[in-house]
Amino acid sequence: MVERASTTEQVVTELRDAIVDGRIPQGEQLREVRLARELGTGRSAVREAIRQLVQEGLVEHEPHRGALVRVVSLADYPDVYGAREVIEAGAARRLLERDEPIDTAPLREALDQLRKELPADGHLTDDAIAADVRFHQALVRLCDSPRLTRAHDTLAAETRLLLRHHPIYPATDYVSDHERLLDALERRDPGTPELFAQHLRLSADLIGDELARETAASEERPVA
């Protein structure tokens, strides 16, 4: 039983990374037989993995078509970022209410990685996106709450998809936005929860504007 669970989790990780990285494109059908062959595992593990990815919001079922990689739309970003705001602002608040020192080393490590991976032109690479998401995951993990972590990890996977639609943003500003959050947390600034909320609202607005632009452009494109 443990071996099967471990296999399923490995398949989940493989498929999740492939979807987020774009190796399995949005809208593509996930065929159990082909995936089992490519991953060298059984169909049952693939089926269970797909079921979990449906719960995470990365895959959806359509009648007569089966499991498809979810296509990011204008309807997605407000809910994803709104839910993240509740969790991350709440996590920051809980950390500030504790008496013990806040171990910000994981956030600082993710921030250092973000500085390294973010090109000067502000174009978000997959590695920069991963570092950005890890920074926010590290915040939530400091609360030592398995339930908060599970809920946030689901949103993190969707966030990585959405960040692929983030417009070009000056690298210095992108990094300094995160430096400001880390500095406030380390100083135990009472306004830290609101800073995280404002940070997420800005990202949501930028992504929403870009998705709207992309949607309008695709609708104007003539059909061949």
Side-chain angles (χ1 to χ4, degrees):
M1 186 67 176
V2 173
E3 182 179 352
R4 180 176 178 182
S6 175
T7 300
T8 299
E9 192 55 44
Q10 289 175 9
V11 175
V12 169
T13 300
E14 289 279 350
L15 292 179
R16 184 193 292 121
D17 288 347
I19 290 170
V20 169
D21 295 343
R23 286 178 281 125
I24 302 180
Q26 295 180 30
E28 181 163 316
Q29 187 174 14
L30 299 178
R31 300 183 184 277
E32 291 179 9
V33 174
R34 189 192 70 192
L35 290 172
R37 183 174 62 250
E38 291 176 353
L39 297 173
T41 189
R43 288 184 62 182
S44 60
V46 172
R47 188 178 305 115
E48 291 176 22
I50 290 174
R51 188 178 299 118
Q52 182 170 327
L53 292 173
V54 169
Q55 293 175 345
E56 292 184 7
L58 295 180
V59 174
E60 57 188 1
H61 273 284
E62 287 190 7
H64 312 300
R65 297 191 66 192
L68 306 170
V69 176
R70 187 174 178 182
V71 177
V72 174
S73 72
L74 275 169
D76 293 318
Y77 79 92
D79 193 35
V80 171
Y81 274 83
R84 282 186 60 195
E85 180 181 329
V86 171
I87 293 176
E88 293 184 30
R93 191 173 298 110
R94 288 179 65 171
L95 293 171
L96 294 178
E97 289 170 351
R98 295 178 177 177
D99 293 329
E100 63 265 29
I102 302 172
D103 179 13
T104 58
L107 284 84
R108 187 163 294 284
E109 181 180 343
L111 181 56
D112 288 342
Q113 191 67 24
L114 180 61
R115 289 193 191 98
K116 176 183 176 183
E117 300 295 349
L118 190 62
D121 65 3
H123 175 74
L124 277 182
T125 63
D126 288 339
D127 288 336
I129 287 173
D132 181 343
V133 171
R134 273 199 304 273
F135 177 92
H136 293 271
Q137 287 178 302
L139 169 79
V140 177
R141 280 176 166 75
L142 288 177
C143 290
D144 298 319
S145 168
R147 291 168 181 81
L148 278 180
T149 296
R150 280 199 303 269
H152 190 262
D153 283 351
T154 296
L155 296 167
E158 291 186 275
T159 297
R160 287 175 65 185
L161 280 179
L162 287 167
L163 281 172
R164 295 173 71 88
H165 298 270
H166 197 290
I168 298 297
Y169 192 72
T172 52
D173 291 348
Y174 202 98
V175 171
S176 65
D177 286 349
H178 290 80
E179 289 175 335
R180 192 176 301 113
L181 296 175
L182 179 57
D183 176 66
L185 187 63
E186 291 180 331
R187 290 188 292 104
R188 305 185 76 98
D189 183 340
T192 303
E194 180 57 26
L195 285 178
F196 270 91
Q198 291 173 2
H199 173 82
L200 292 171
R201 290 171 200 158
L202 173 61
S203 291
D205 288 344
L206 290 170
I207 290 170
D209 290 345
E210 183 67 12
L211 281 170
R213 186 193 66 76
E214 292 173 4
T215 300
S218 68
E219 291 174 348
E220 293 174 0
R221 194 176 300 125
V223 179

